[in-house]
Amino acid sequence: MMRQAVVVGAGGISGAWLPMLGEEGVEVAALVDLDEARARTQAARYRLDPLITTDLRRAIRRIRPDFVVDLTVPAAHSAVTCTALRLGCHVIGEKPMAASMAAARRMVRTAEETGRIYMVSQSRRYHAPHAGLARALAGGAVGRLTALNCAFYIGAHFGGFRDQMAHPLILDMAIHHFDLARLFSGADPRAVYAASFNPAGSWYAGDAAATCVFEMSNGVIFTYTGSWCAEGMHTSWHGDWRVIGERGTVVYARDQPPAGERVAGDGGFHRPLEPLAIEPLEVPSGQRGALREFLAALDGGPVPQGECHDNIQSLAMVFGAIASARRGRRVTIRV
Ligand SMILES: NC(=O)c1ccc[n+]([C@@H]2O[C@H](COP(=O)([O-])OP(=O)(O)OC[C@H]3O[C@@H](n4cnc5c(N)ncnc54)[C@H](O)[C@@H]3O)[C@@H](O)[C@H]2O)c1
């Protein structure tokens, strides 16, 4: 039997979700957007015939869906998701979880109080090189990890909400990289020192560039440097990574397969090294991977990655970095 979902938010990212939901056996029974015309346009584009409304409560009461998909802008996530949870629905929503830690904590509390699952779709976890790299690192491919570095440089002309955000890079994009740092290191954040900037010539109102140094719970140092207004010689959207362990290094950059070298003997100015191949781990990719884990959890399967109690750790890196940049000093990260 097909499951039914109420989808909230018919903007850009709904183009990834609407066709995919049907392919995964989920009927889009209602499409809710403050801008009804947008919802109508998207429904027509994907040949769907959902209830179209601006009223989420009405849609949920009428449809009684199996779950709600929250694809609204970050500032609306907390209200939309808490409303859905309180009306008895499980929720899968887009990243970032919320526009503040207080709002995110409210979402976690509401999931606890209602006994519903709230999962954030952190799409970049579901990518064969990432899953393969995480598996190899957890298996000790380069020994005990000591440092992770991620560089992200893209000139991205979006228009829309990102142009007005105070910290578009850190809040809307670096959340992916911070979350990958948690995946690769297998650790949670403890502290950060960050500086953020809006480079000359930037087309963003807020800070489109940042440099951050995170201390992770297992002692790993994660350094991040990025800009969303850097024209030319773009890095990968996943970031260009260098991962260093006591026995070797992996480089994963410009969307080439991750590859490394590890120590193969003693002696010499440089120790003898051997190549290290990182096998990809095939997983359903992007939002589809997140949705499959969510659907499995609804059937009593394991707690999905991105479940709110876990994902709030990635969001805490975002708000820790923003707080540090504002105060000009290292801050402790608390969830
Ligand atoms: N995983 C990814 O790679 C990825 C990529 C792009 C966007 N996203 C995320 O998806 C979310 C949406 O991004 P987008 O690019 O589609 O934005 P968008 O501005 O194109 O669309 C957002 C839509 O939500 C609607 N909306 C806002 N508040 C609402 C509310 N309270 N109730 C109902 N509708 C509401 C708006 O009218 C708009 O149609 C953001 O959180 C963004 O970070 C994720």
Side-chain angles (χ1 to χ4, degrees):
M1 205 184 74
M2 275 201 109
R3 293 176 198 265
Q4 289 194 312
V6 167
V7 176
V8 197
I13 202 62
S14 70
W17 284 87
L18 292 173
M20 190 263 290
L21 283 161
E23 289 157 17
E24 296 295 320
V26 178
E27 180 196 344
V28 178
L31 186 51
V32 181
D33 200 295
L34 297 178
D35 180 347
E36 224 178 271
R38 255 186 146 175
R40 247 175 246 300
T41 304
Q42 284 299 77
R45 177 170 296 152
Y46 297 105
R47 297 198 171 78
L48 301 170
D49 189 22
L51 167 72
I52 305 260
T53 174
T54 57
D55 186 341
L56 173 60
R57 283 171 208 276
R58 179 170 161 252
I60 291 176
R61 292 204 172 108
R62 174 112 164 250
I63 306 287
R64 300 260 148 233
D66 294 291
F67 62 96
V68 165
V69 185
D70 181 0
L71 310 181
T72 60
V73 294
H77 288 171
S78 185
V80 165
T81 287
C82 289
T83 298
L85 292 168
R86 292 236 175 264
L87 289 173
C89 302
H90 302 289
V91 179
I92 180 168
E94 267 297 346
K95 47 56 62 176
M97 185 190 274
S100 72
M101 282 306 286
R105 289 187 193 108
R106 197 156 53 238
M107 296 163 96
V108 173
R109 247 190 345 262
T110 307
E112 285 171 359
E113 285 166 11
T114 57
R116 305 287 102 178
I117 298 172
Y118 167 45
M119 169 187 177
V120 178
S121 165
Q122 204 71 66
S123 56
R124 282 167 205 271
R125 284 191 172 227
Y126 306 92
H127 186 51
H130 299 174
L133 179 54
R135 177 179 61 178
L137 296 172
V142 290
R144 192 160 56 147
L145 292 185
T146 60
L148 264 67
N149 172 247
C150 175
F152 173 79
Y153 290 98
I154 299 238
H157 296 258
F158 291 102
F161 72 89
R162 294 177 187 82
D163 286 11
Q164 304 311 320
M165 293 168 79
H167 291 276
L169 174 77
I170 296 180
L171 182 56
D172 202 59
M173 189 63 217
I175 179 71
H176 285 296
H177 307 126
F178 295 174
D179 184 67
L180 284 179
R182 288 185 55 237
L183 176 69
F184 295 155
S185 67
D188 288 329
R190 288 291 176 263
V192 60
Y193 176 76
S196 73
F197 326 89
N198 202 22
S202 169
W203 48 94
Y204 295 82
D207 283 355
T211 294
C212 315
V213 181
F214 288 96
E215 299 160 38
M216 306 299 285
S217 52
N218 57 359
V220 164
I221 299 297
F222 166 49
T223 49
Y224 178 79
T225 180
S227 171
W228 231 350
C229 65
E231 302 284 26
M233 297 303 287
H234 293 169
T235 61
S236 165
W237 277 90
H238 302 305
D240 286 357
W241 291 79
R242 178 174 284 262
V243 180
I244 303 162
E246 288 181 345
R247 304 290 295 166
T249 290
V250 176
V251 169
Y252 168 48
R254 303 198 94 176
D255 293 322
Q256 297 306 300
E261 288 179 329
R262 78 177 146 209
V263 173
D266 298 326
F269 179 70
H270 296 304
R271 295 295 187 251
L273 297 165
E274 64 185 11
L276 173 64
I278 306 291
E279 296 303 323
L281 177 58
E282 292 308 328
V283 287
S285 81
Q287 279 88 357
R288 190 184 303 275
L291 179 66
R292 289 227 185 134
E293 281 191 5
F294 178 72
L295 295 178
L298 297 192
D299 286 336
V303 175
Q305 299 182 73
E307 193 278 332
C308 58
H309 291 81
D310 182 76
N311 189 262
I312 197 169
Q313 296 277 350
S314 300
L315 194 76
M317 295 174 78
V318 164
F319 288 105
I322 291 173
S324 172
R326 285 203 178 122
R327 293 176 206 162
R329 61 174 175 80
R330 174 184 176 277
V331 301
T332 303
I333 295 178
R334 283 196 196 83
V335 167

